[in-house]
Amino acid sequence: MNGIILAFLIALLGSINLDFYKFRRGEFFSWLKGQLNNFKWAVPVAAILAYVYMPALLFPDIIIPIGVMLTINCFVTIVRPMKFQMVQVVDERKRPDIVRFKVPITILVILLVILISAPIIPLFQTKTLHELPAAVVSNEKINPIDVSHIRQVPIEFAYWKADKVIGDLGYKVQVGQIDIQLINDHLYWVAPLELGNFWKWLRFKTSPGFVMVDAEDPEAKVERIDTLELQYMKSTFFQKNIYRHVYQRYPFYRLAEITFELDDEKNPYWVISAVKPTVWFTGEQVLGIIIVDAATGEMKFHQKIPKWVDRVIPERLAEKYNFWYGAYSNGFWNTKFSQKDMHVPTTSNGVIDVFAVRGPEGMYWFTGHTSPSMMDKSLMGYSMMNTQTGEVVYYSNVSG
């Protein structure tokens, strides 16, 4: 079934009439009338949640759309009788009848507990998070970067060079997100040409192509491919939006990262990492990738990764893995007190400093690790995570 339709139907479950008090009084048809009234607000809200938010239909992510619907439903159930009629009197003392409010209030309390627990539960499962990267510790002293393929063009310069070659296409496209890739054993910055806005999409419908910036040679000429008709992009709308296009077929995964990649023949594809949480809402684990033809929209789920694909492990997930591995070696409370055997990934402007390099077997996420002490920022080690397989090696025999 179409993922959006399925998400819509699941979200509607949160609109069930909570006035079960009417059941106790045998007023089934009155309860059913209330349910039909609920659909008046629930159908458009559920449609927006399904079509715009596109929740992953797996546990616990599915709690979010149902929880949003239930929250609105609870307030409707409480407010509606107060707005349209006086609260019913049930005994001689003229006490208000609060029976009908017990269910919505209970549900609101449960939802509040779930909301509060989201950041707390993982703190009691830090051992699981620490072990999730399955890092291998090595004492070898090696150069982690392939010296024959050193990245000499920084991302800021790559963006500048790419923007300069847009030229006569600037009236309809702009440089999209640029990512480093290994194409035919050579490093390139690659960015799709994204349509500027909704009105440009209505007029032009498709993207003409992409740009390639040589990441190893700052003097190399930028390559612009502008003879294609790419229908499925991040900047396109409705059913042509790449995320929505994939979600309709694969709603049972959390779609973690969408990367524009070229195969060795320079054919454009979108590579989407499909992940699942293992520790409540976090502890993400990659299950495979979805490869989408940017022109035709044809897609396929892969567990056996094609050799040309570089980005299987999302950058944000690599950041999390490095933090979990270094910080949680002895649990959460150790990070607050003794900090025994603890090390943390290096940061730049408050963001974990993970960057892609060419390593011994393809592309790697490289991250330095340092002491958690504000007074000691010496390098304690570094990690190399294969961007395709997720294999992690932590090199601890480092000083400086």
Side-chain angles (χ1 to χ4, degrees), residues 376-388:
D376 179 12
K377 288 301 179 182
S378 59
L379 191 66
M380 298 176 64
Y382 60 84
S383 67
M384 292 279 286
M385 177 184 295
N386 190 298
T387 61
Q388 188 182 83

PDB file of all heavy atoms in Angstrom, residues 376-388:
ATOM      1  N   ASP A 376      42.645  20.107  28.789  1.00  0.00           N
ATOM      2  CA  ASP A 376      43.535  19.228  28.023  1.00  0.00           C
ATOM      3  C   ASP A 376      42.862  18.848  26.711  1.00  0.00           C
ATOM      4  O   ASP A 376      41.938  18.041  26.691  1.00  0.00           O
ATOM      5  CB  ASP A 376      43.862  17.977  28.844  1.00  0.00           C
ATOM      6  CG  ASP A 376      44.777  17.017  28.087  1.00  0.00           C
ATOM      7  OD1 ASP A 376      45.329  17.423  27.034  1.00  0.00           O
ATOM      8  OD2 ASP A 376      44.935  15.863  28.541  1.00  0.00           O
ATOM      9  N   LYS A 377      43.310  19.414  25.617  1.00  0.00           N
ATOM     10  CA  LYS A 377      42.729  19.126  24.309  1.00  0.00           C
ATOM     11  C   LYS A 377      43.707  18.379  23.407  1.00  0.00           C
ATOM     12  O   LYS A 377      43.625  18.452  22.182  1.00  0.00           O
ATOM     13  CB  LYS A 377      42.287  20.433  23.630  1.00  0.00           C
ATOM     14  CG  LYS A 377      41.040  21.041  24.270  1.00  0.00           C
ATOM     15  CD  LYS A 377      39.869  20.077  24.229  1.00  0.00           C
ATOM     16  CE  LYS A 377      38.632  20.658  24.889  1.00  0.00           C
ATOM     17  NZ  LYS A 377      37.504  19.699  24.885  1.00  0.00           N
ATOM     18  N   SER A 378      44.647  17.664  24.015  1.00  0.00           N
ATOM     19  CA  SER A 378      45.605  16.894  23.227  1.00  0.00           C
ATOM     20  C   SER A 378      44.895  15.701  22.584  1.00  0.00           C
ATOM     21  O   SER A 378      43.929  15.157  23.121  1.00  0.00           O
ATOM     22  CB  SER A 378      46.748  16.397  24.114  1.00  0.00           C
ATOM     23  OG  SER A 378      46.254  15.578  25.157  1.00  0.00           O
ATOM     24  N   LEU A 379      45.391  15.297  21.422  1.00  0.00           N
ATOM     25  CA  LEU A 379      44.779  14.200  20.681  1.00  0.00           C
ATOM     26  C   LEU A 379      45.080  12.875  21.359  1.00  0.00           C
ATOM     27  O   LEU A 379      46.239  12.547  21.630  1.00  0.00           O
ATOM     28  CB  LEU A 379      45.313  14.192  19.244  1.00  0.00           C
ATOM     29  CG  LEU A 379      44.585  13.283  18.252  1.00  0.00           C
ATOM     30  CD1 LEU A 379      43.161  13.780  18.036  1.00  0.00           C
ATOM     31  CD2 LEU A 379      45.343  13.239  16.921  1.00  0.00           C
ATOM     32  N   MET A 380      44.039  12.111  21.669  1.00  0.00           N
ATOM     33  CA  MET A 380      44.190  10.815  22.321  1.00  0.00           C
ATOM     34  C   MET A 380      44.111   9.665  21.318  1.00  0.00           C
ATOM     35  O   MET A 380      44.576   8.556  21.578  1.00  0.00           O
ATOM     36  CB  MET A 380      43.107  10.636  23.382  1.00  0.00           C
ATOM     37  CG  MET A 380      43.150  11.658  24.500  1.00  0.00           C
ATOM     38  SD  MET A 380      41.771  11.467  25.661  1.00  0.00           S
ATOM     39  CE  MET A 380      42.119   9.840  26.328  1.00  0.00           C
ATOM     40  N   GLY A 381      43.489   9.915  20.177  1.00  0.00           N
ATOM     41  CA  GLY A 381      43.335   8.878  19.173  1.00  0.00           C
ATOM     42  C   GLY A 381      42.481   9.401  18.034  1.00  0.00           C
ATOM     43  O   GLY A 381      42.104  10.576  18.005  1.00  0.00           O
ATOM     44  N   TYR A 382      42.186   8.533  17.102  1.00  0.00           N
ATOM     45  CA  TYR A 382      41.290   8.908  16.010  1.00  0.00           C
ATOM     46  C   TYR A 382      40.574   7.663  15.511  1.00  0.00           C
ATOM     47  O   TYR A 382      41.032   6.524  15.710  1.00  0.00           O
ATOM     48  CB  TYR A 382      42.044   9.607  14.876  1.00  0.00           C
ATOM     49  CG  TYR A 382      43.147   8.782  14.240  1.00  0.00           C
ATOM     50  CD1 TYR A 382      42.859   7.859  13.232  1.00  0.00           C
ATOM     51  CD2 TYR A 382      44.469   8.942  14.628  1.00  0.00           C
ATOM     52  CE1 TYR A 382      43.869   7.104  12.652  1.00  0.00           C
ATOM     53  CE2 TYR A 382      45.481   8.191  14.058  1.00  0.00           C
ATOM     54  CZ  TYR A 382      45.179   7.276  13.057  1.00  0.00           C
ATOM     55  OH  TYR A 382      46.175   6.534  12.487  1.00  0.00           O
ATOM     56  N   SER A 383      39.440   7.876  14.890  1.00  0.00           N
ATOM     57  CA  SER A 383      38.664   6.754  14.366  1.00  0.00           C
ATOM     58  C   SER A 383      38.546   6.847  12.855  1.00  0.00           C
ATOM     59  O   SER A 383      38.535   7.945  12.287  1.00  0.00           O
ATOM     60  CB  SER A 383      37.256   6.718  14.988  1.00  0.00           C
ATOM     61  OG  SER A 383      36.505   7.840  14.566  1.00  0.00           O
ATOM     62  N   MET A 384      38.470   5.694  12.233  1.00  0.00           N
ATOM     63  CA  MET A 384      38.244   5.583  10.794  1.00  0.00           C
ATOM     64  C   MET A 384      37.023   4.684  10.595  1.00  0.00           C
ATOM     65  O   MET A 384      37.060   3.505  10.942  1.00  0.00           O
ATOM     66  CB  MET A 384      39.465   4.987  10.112  1.00  0.00           C
ATOM     67  CG  MET A 384      40.694   5.872  10.125  1.00  0.00           C
ATOM     68  SD  MET A 384      40.651   7.134   8.844  1.00  0.00           S
ATOM     69  CE  MET A 384      40.971   6.155   7.379  1.00  0.00           C
ATOM     70  N   MET A 385      35.956   5.264  10.067  1.00  0.00           N
ATOM     71  CA  MET A 385      34.734   4.500   9.830  1.00  0.00           C
ATOM     72  C   MET A 385      34.500   4.389   8.321  1.00  0.00           C
ATOM     73  O   MET A 385      34.348   5.401   7.629  1.00  0.00           O
ATOM     74  CB  MET A 385      33.532   5.190  10.494  1.00  0.00           C
ATOM     75  CG  MET A 385      32.199   4.492  10.227  1.00  0.00           C
ATOM     76  SD  MET A 385      30.788   5.393  10.912  1.00  0.00           S
ATOM     77  CE  MET A 385      31.135   5.269  12.659  1.00  0.00           C
ATOM     78  N   ASN A 386      34.474   3.168   7.824  1.00  0.00           N
ATOM     79  CA  ASN A 386      34.212   2.955   6.404  1.00  0.00           C
ATOM     80  C   ASN A 386      32.800   3.438   6.081  1.00  0.00           C
ATOM     81  O   ASN A 386      31.824   2.982   6.680  1.00  0.00           O
ATOM     82  CB  ASN A 386      34.360   1.470   6.059  1.00  0.00           C
ATOM     83  CG  ASN A 386      34.351   1.214   4.570  1.00  0.00           C
ATOM     84  OD1 ASN A 386      33.373   1.487   3.885  1.00  0.00           O
ATOM     85  ND2 ASN A 386      35.438   0.672   4.064  1.00  0.00           N
ATOM     86  N   THR A 387      32.684   4.388   5.155  1.00  0.00           N
ATOM     87  CA  THR A 387      31.381   4.990   4.867  1.00  0.00           C
ATOM     88  C   THR A 387      30.422   4.014   4.194  1.00  0.00           C
ATOM     89  O   THR A 387      29.216   4.258   4.171  1.00  0.00           O
ATOM     90  CB  THR A 387      31.536   6.220   3.956  1.00  0.00           C
ATOM     91  OG1 THR A 387      32.115   5.813   2.706  1.00  0.00           O
ATOM     92  CG2 THR A 387      32.418   7.270   4.596  1.00  0.00           C
ATOM     93  N   GLN A 388      30.947   2.926   3.654  1.00  0.00           N
ATOM     94  CA  GLN A 388      30.091   1.957   2.982  1.00  0.00           C
ATOM     95  C   GLN A 388      29.714   0.791   3.883  1.00  0.00           C
ATOM     96  O   GLN A 388      28.554   0.402   3.960  1.00  0.00           O
ATOM     97  CB  GLN A 388      30.772   1.419   1.718  1.00  0.00           C
ATOM     98  CG  GLN A 388      29.855   0.538   0.862  1.00  0.00           C
ATOM     99  CD  GLN A 388      30.550  -0.014  -0.354  1.00  0.00           C
ATOM    100  OE1 GLN A 388      31.244  -1.020  -0.272  1.00  0.00           O
ATOM    101  NE2 GLN A 388      30.355   0.641  -1.491  1.00  0.00           N
TER     102      GLN A 388
END
